[in-house]
Amino acid sequence: MDVSNDPLRTAELTVIGQVTTASNVTLVCEAEQDGPQPLRVVYKPVRGERPLWDFPDGTLAEREVASYAVSQALGWGVIPETVLREGPYGPGMVQRWVDTVEDGPELVDLVPVGEIAEGYREVLRALDPSGHPVSLVHAHDPRLLRMAVLDVLINNADRKGGHVLSGVDGRVYGVDHGICLNTEPKLRTVLWGWAGESIDDELLTDITVLVKALPGELGTRLSELITEEEVRALEVRAQGLLENPVMPLPSGARPIPWPAF
């Protein structure tokens, strides 16, 4: 594929804003392209990554790109197109911006206990900042289920509700995959509504394709972004789902990221 004229990869980035709620430096940029409007992207420079005790320093951008590669290999398109490239503040992750639905129902939400709408699954009950009992819920949506399975595969340690986007194109996207693909079990997610349930044959077929692709070009590409041990751990997790096609149950002291949004 000729990427020489792809603005996501090659166009100069102009910073127009910053996501101030993000843990790491997250900049909103525009890249010139053919057409009336510039391409909007998210740019996370490596130099803006906050050190973590359980992930090697300076590796979060590569993990974002590796997670995108896994999503693409599955054919699910859960993660917006993501690349590694130079930007105004050095190398980093650049990802296509997702235009989201403004007034539609939330895919992940907090609702008063006992007021769960049809088509939603309860994950847990807690107290909101005012002390009122609330339920953390998410939609029973096959697009969201794919995201939940992807999180198991990439060992996502930080699937918050705010990382789930409903695109104006009718698709559901997941963002913020910097702390994924560790060799140690670290799954923390708000998408526990399918825990303990069987995985559909259609999804298992896609996981089979992923497993078969790992010894080839996909594995080579991933090994340029994460360690060989982490690639192997991905293969083990995928093979484990094929051998026991059931969504895992929460385990450990922190199965849900906090804050959840």
Side-chain angles (χ1 to χ4, degrees), residues 106-109 136 158-165 190 257 259-261:
E106 298 291 341
L107 292 167
V108 183
D109 205 358
L136 174 65
D158 195 36
R159 174 63 73 202
K160 296 179 179 178
H163 299 168
V164 179
L165 306 180
V190 296
F261 287 86

Side-chain angles (χ1 to χ4, degrees), residues 35-70:
Q37 299 294 331
L39 174 68
R40 181 163 293 187
V41 302
V42 174
Y43 164 51
K44 298 181 183 179
V46 172
R47 64 191 291 188
E49 294 178 4
R50 184 183 65 177
L52 299 170
W53 70 268
D54 52 349
F55 284 81
D57 292 351
T59 67
L60 305 192
E62 285 90 347
R63 294 175 191 278
E64 295 244 28
V65 177
S67 298
Y68 166 72
V70 174

Side-chain angles (χ1 to χ4, degrees), residues 13-19 26-31 38-41 43 88-89 97:
L13 302 181
T14 301
V15 178
I16 62 171
Q18 180 174 358
V19 181
T26 302
L27 303 173
V28 181
C29 300
E30 289 183 341
L39 174 68
R40 181 163 293 187
V41 302
Y43 164 51
Y89 299 102
W97 179 268

Side-chain angles (χ1 to χ4, degrees), residues 47-261:
R47 64 191 291 188
E49 294 178 4
R50 184 183 65 177
L52 299 170
W53 70 268
D54 52 349
F55 284 81
D57 292 351
T59 67
L60 305 192
E62 285 90 347
R63 294 175 191 278
E64 295 244 28
V65 177
S67 298
Y68 166 72
V70 174
S71 171
Q72 290 299 102
L74 289 161
W76 294 350
V78 171
I79 302 175
E81 187 177 6
T82 311
V83 301
L84 275 178
R85 55 160 291 182
E86 286 289 330
Y89 299 102
M93 178 223 79
V94 175
Q95 185 176 81
R96 289 187 185 273
W97 179 268
V98 176
D99 290 318
T100 57
V101 176
E102 295 293 334
D103 301 320
E106 298 291 341
L107 292 167
V108 183
D109 205 358
L110 288 173
V111 300
V113 170
E115 297 184 18
I116 302 172
E118 184 178 357
Y120 282 77
R121 296 194 169 199
E122 185 179 52
V123 176
L124 62 75
R125 296 183 180 184
L127 298 178
D128 68 12
S130 300
H132 299 116
V134 293
S135 294
L136 174 65
V137 300
H138 66 68
H140 180 54
D141 186 313
R143 300 169 301 173
L144 211 54
L145 174 58
R146 283 197 298 270
M147 187 183 299
V149 177
L150 175 65
D151 285 343
V152 175
L153 291 168
I154 63 176
N155 195 18
N156 192 348
D158 195 36
R159 174 63 73 202
K160 296 179 179 178
H163 299 168
V164 179
L165 306 180
S166 181
V168 295
D169 58 2
R171 296 169 62 182
V172 171
Y173 295 95
V175 297
D176 287 308
H177 298 92
I179 51 174
C180 294
L181 295 162
N182 203 300
T183 57
E184 299 295 324
K186 292 185 178 293
L187 182 61
R188 291 192 292 268
T189 175
V190 296
L191 302 179
W192 285 115
W194 292 281
E197 296 187 9
S198 298
I199 300 173
D200 294 343
D201 288 343
E202 181 180 356
L203 299 179
L204 294 175
T205 297
D206 296 335
I207 297 172
T208 301
V209 172
L210 173 71
V211 170
K212 291 181 177 179
L214 281 170
E217 183 178 345
L218 175 62
T220 300
R221 172 60 175 148
L222 290 175
S223 66
E224 297 171 351
L225 300 165
I226 57 177
T227 67
E228 294 284 355
E229 291 77 11
E230 288 165 340
V231 176
R232 174 58 183 159
L234 166 64
E235 183 177 3
V236 169
R237 289 190 296 270
Q239 191 62 51
L241 285 184
L242 294 178
E243 295 172 358
N244 181 29
V246 175
M247 291 294 284
L249 297 170
S251 62
R254 291 183 56 206
I256 294 176
W258 198 258
F261 287 86

